[in-house]
Amino acid sequence: MEDEVDRLVAAWRRERPDLDVEPLEVLSRVSRLARHLDRARRLAFAEHQLEPWEFDVLTALRRAGTPYQLSPGQLLTQTLVTSGTMTNRIDRLAKKGLVERLPDPSDRRGVLVRLTETGQERADQALAGLLDQERAILAELSRAQRAELAALLRQLTAPFDNIPG
């Protein structure tokens, strides 16, 4: 079965036979898949009245386990945004009743961000919807193929995820 990347690679091989375009066969597919995944995720989140960034913050808190709270700094680390952006996001989520700010008992000047019951319900429902979307995307692959693909992608992403600082 041919895809758009096959056509793109064939065109480059015809136009630039002097270049090895093999990396495009993998990374152009990863890039195209990322765009398809982004669309599927946006749809899954929209069904639960969430934006992707809201899902990211809520699920970071949900994964933290009971009592579902983290410091803003911990949220920064998990969501890879600036402190100003995170402050804005926490404000917006608090206004919607999905999170609440609490004083940090170990730091008088600090705060903790805690998931509300409504936030937890919304995060859980959106995660279930997302997993349904992602299962459908992976349906053509066997369990063994999914495991192999996950291992190969881990090999590519781990160096980026483990850069200090």
Side-chain angles (χ1 to χ4, degrees):
M1 176 174 18
E2 189 176 71
D3 67 2
E4 186 60 31
V5 174
D6 289 322
R7 292 182 283 278
L8 178 145
V9 168
W12 279 122
R13 285 188 172 134
R14 182 187 69 244
E15 294 300 316
R16 292 295 310 267
D18 57 311
L19 293 178
D20 175 11
V21 295
E22 182 188 19
L24 295 176
E25 294 194 60
V26 173
L27 299 177
S28 290
R29 284 188 174 94
V30 169
S31 177
R32 290 179 64 79
L33 181 58
R35 287 195 293 273
H36 290 298
L37 287 172
D38 185 54
R39 280 192 209 119
R41 286 177 165 213
R42 286 181 182 281
L43 279 172
F45 302 150
E47 288 177 14
H48 302 283
Q49 297 81 47
L50 290 176
E51 293 292 328
W53 68 264
E54 292 173 314
F55 178 83
D56 289 346
V57 175
L58 296 178
T59 55
L61 292 166
R62 181 67 171 95
R63 287 190 312 269
T66 304
Y68 310 115
Q69 66 187 28
L70 295 169
S71 71
Q74 290 169 311
L75 284 169
L76 287 174
T77 301
Q78 291 195 30
T79 60
L80 301 173
V81 298
T82 66
S83 61
T85 298
M86 182 53 65
T87 298
N88 181 278
R89 289 179 175 186
I90 293 167
D91 289 345
R92 291 170 67 186
L93 289 168
K95 203 174 280 187
K96 287 183 167 187
L98 302 174
V99 301
E100 60 185 344
R101 283 188 175 89
L102 303 169
D104 185 342
S106 64
D107 178 359
R108 289 186 319 161
R109 295 177 300 164
V111 297
L112 294 173
V113 180
R114 180 184 293 165
L115 197 56
T116 64
E117 190 174 314
T118 302
Q120 180 181 340
E121 288 170 8
R122 192 84 62 85
D124 286 350
Q125 291 167 355
L127 177 62
L130 172 65
L131 292 172
D132 287 343
Q133 290 272 353
E134 292 186 351
R135 265 189 220 81
I137 289 168
L138 295 170
E140 295 297 315
L141 300 178
S142 69
R143 183 176 295 276
Q145 288 172 318
R146 290 191 306 265
E148 181 181 8
L149 181 57
L152 292 169
L153 291 171
R154 182 181 305 108
Q155 199 171 342
L156 289 177
T157 60
F160 294 102
D161 289 344
N162 293 303
I163 296 172

